[in-house]
Amino acid sequence: MIAAASDLQFAVEEIAAAFAAETGMRVRLSMGSTGNFARQIRAGAPFQIFMAADEKFIDDLHADGLTRDEGDLYAIGRIVMMVPHGSSLVTDGQLDTLAAALEAGEINRFAIANPEHAPYGMRAAEALRHKGLWDDLQPFMVLGENVSQAAQFALSGNADGGIIAYSLALAPNVQELGTYELIPEDWHAPLRQRMALLNNAGPVAEAFYDYINGPSAREIMVRYGFGLPEDE
């Protein structure tokens, strides 16, 4: 069983399918917020690999003896502003249009992942603070349990837009729902995504872990907009 941050939803499903096709071995994927998974692992959840969206959670679990080692950095994530087709809000990675819409009283709802436990929500909050919009946006904020749910909220037609993972925006069935633009990466702390084998990992988990570090999986990650560790 693999606990994978929800920004990986489409990428890791492709990787797992390719892994099964090449090796005949299958893994079970569980998608959710990194912070919630870390709590579940501490409570004894039977995951064998944890693919976190923020390496701090792996570092903390390793310090407490819950992973085999310090793990591996497997990707660098990015965030985008995305708005659904038909929204009065214009896509703008600099968030100037969001600021103007707020000032004009034209925002109804704006979605991000919950920054209390979702790294992509943390980075969205940092970007909004950088732009000076965080406080004014509070009455209109809709929080997803994870960044995948935030994307659903942002593109549901009941929201003006939101800040979501670039990897989700690139998925064909998400991309067709709206338009997006990258937010400058120096507006927030980096999304250094680290994974680790947990202490109960078996041979299939070990093989999948190695596969994620291999060329086939890395090609998929790049296609979904992730930077690779060597690109830093």
Side-chain angles (χ1 to χ4, degrees):
M1 245 182 118
I2 314 302
S6 58
D7 66 290
L8 296 167
Q9 178 180 347
F10 301 103
V12 79
E13 285 175 357
E14 277 197 37
I15 291 169
F19 173 73
E22 290 185 31
T23 67
M25 294 184 281
R26 298 187 178 276
V27 297
R28 290 171 57 199
L29 299 171
S30 183
M31 314 301 301
S33 87
T34 291
N36 285 343
F37 278 140
R39 281 194 288 274
Q40 291 170 27
I41 289 166
R42 291 181 184 282
F47 299 117
Q48 296 187 34
I49 297 175
F50 182 24
M51 299 180 71
D54 184 339
E55 66 181 350
K56 179 183 183 301
F57 291 86
I58 297 291
D59 293 342
D60 290 347
L61 289 171
H62 176 60
D64 292 337
L66 295 171
T67 67
R68 285 196 186 175
D69 54 28
E70 297 176 350
D72 287 294
L73 190 69
Y74 66 89
I76 311 296
R78 293 289 302 274
I79 56 175
V80 299
M81 176 183 173
M82 188 163 190
V83 303
H85 296 307
S87 173
S88 60
L89 192 59
V90 177
T91 306
D92 170 24
Q94 297 288 323
L95 306 183
D96 291 326
T97 57
L98 178 59
L102 268 172
E103 189 172 348
E106 296 172 351
I107 291 292
N108 295 307
R109 291 183 178 179
F110 192 81
I112 67 169
N114 191 329
E116 291 189 4
H117 53 76
Y120 275 81
M122 298 173 192
R123 302 301 178 259
E126 290 167 9
L128 290 167
R129 287 192 176 98
H130 175 90
K131 189 67 176 178
L133 301 177
W134 178 252
D135 291 337
D136 290 342
L137 201 56
Q138 289 306 302
F140 312 103
M141 197 77 79
V142 182
L143 300 179
E145 183 68 11
N146 52 60
V147 73
S148 182
Q149 188 178 68
Q152 293 172 19
F153 290 162
L155 299 170
S156 66
N158 295 320
D160 301 292
I163 295 176
I164 68 169
Y166 185 31
S167 57
L168 298 181
L170 287 173
N173 59 340
V174 176
Q175 193 170 7
E176 67 187 12
L177 298 177
T179 58
Y180 63 87
E181 193 168 301
L182 281 163
I183 290 171
E185 55 189 333
D186 58 357
W187 285 20
H188 57 83
L191 280 153
R192 290 171 52 87
Q193 304 198 192
R194 184 172 290 271
M195 63 180 178
L197 288 163
L198 300 173
N199 292 331
N200 63 335
V204 175
E206 292 169 348
F208 186 65
Y209 188 91
D210 290 340
Y211 189 82
I212 295 166
N213 280 326
S216 297
R218 287 185 168 219
E219 184 276 325
I220 293 170
M221 296 294 282
V222 169
R223 186 152 38 81
Y224 280 97
F226 290 103
L228 298 179
E230 57 266 29
D231 298 333
E232 282 195 300

